[in-house]
Amino acid sequence: QPWALKIIPIRRIIRHNDTEQVRSEISMMIMLKGCRHVMRPVCAFVDAAEEAVVLVSEWAAGGTLRDHIERRIRHHSRFAEDQVSGIAGHLLSALLFMHSHGLVHRDVKPENVLVTADGVCKLADFGMVAFVTRVDEVFKNGPGSPIFAPPEYAFREDCDSRFDIWSLGVVLFEVAALR
C-alpha cells in the first residue's frame, strides 16, 4: 500500500523556530485519526540520514482539490451539483469532527483537501491548527492562507469554528464557480 510522506528538513525547523509547530501537527494528526474525512496518520519519525522529520499518512491517489479545480478550468467543465454537495459534506464532516474536539484548522483551502481514488475528500495539513478555547493561539501565527481567512481575522475579533466555516465557503465558491 502506498503512503504519503511529508518531509520537513530539520534545518528549516530550526531556522523558523518551528519545533513546537511540528510537534503540534503530529499531535493533531494522532488526535484526529478517527474521522473518515481527515487524512489518516500512519507514523512520524526522524530520519537522521536525511536530517528531516518525516510524517507518514495514507495516500490520496486523486491528488488535491486544487488539481481537480484546475483540470475543470482547463477543460471548461464545471462540477455537477451533487459533486459540489459531496465535497461540502466531506469537508463539513471533517470540520465538525475537529470542532467537536475544540480545534480550528485555520488553513482550509483546496491545496489542503486531498482526494482518494474513489472520490472521498479528506482534510490535510494540520500545522496551523489551534485550540478554539485559546483565542491567542488562533492569532499567533496568522491564518495559513489570508485569502481564505474570514473578515474577523483582519480586525482580530474572536475567531472560533466560524473561521473554518468561512474558509470552507470560499473553497466551495471556488469549486462551484471555478473562480
Side-chain angles (χ1 to χ4, degrees), residues 43-114:
C43 67
F45 61 92
V46 174
D47 183 337
E50 294 294 323
E51 297 182 345
V53 173
V54 180
L55 308 180
V56 182
S57 65
E58 67 181 308
W59 175 251
T64 68
L65 184 56
R66 169 67 61 217
D67 298 333
H68 288 262
I69 291 168
E70 289 177 0
R71 193 173 311 117
R72 295 287 180 150
I73 290 170
R74 278 194 311 276
H75 293 99
H76 305 287
S77 170
R78 293 194 179 277
F79 288 93
E81 187 176 325
D82 64 325
Q83 291 173 309
V84 176
S85 65
I87 292 166
H90 294 174
L91 296 179
L92 280 169
S93 170
L95 292 174
L96 178 61
F97 187 82
M98 289 186 71
H99 298 165
S100 71
H101 285 82
L103 301 169
V104 60
H105 188 278
R106 300 190 314 150
D107 201 16
V108 178
K109 61 184 179 182
E111 293 81 357
N112 288 341
V113 177
L114 301 177

Side-chain angles (χ1 to χ4, degrees), residues 12 64 88 103 115 136 144 159 172 177:
R12 193 194 108 205
T64 68
L103 301 169
V115 184
D136 60 315
C159 284
L172 293 176

Side-chain angles (χ1 to χ4, degrees), residues 32-39 58 90 93 118 120-122:
L32 297 170
K33 70 180 179 181
C35 179
R36 178 174 189 250
H37 295 109
V38 169
M39 287 305 291
E58 67 181 308
H90 294 174
S93 170
D118 58 347
V120 176
C121 290
K122 295 188 174 227

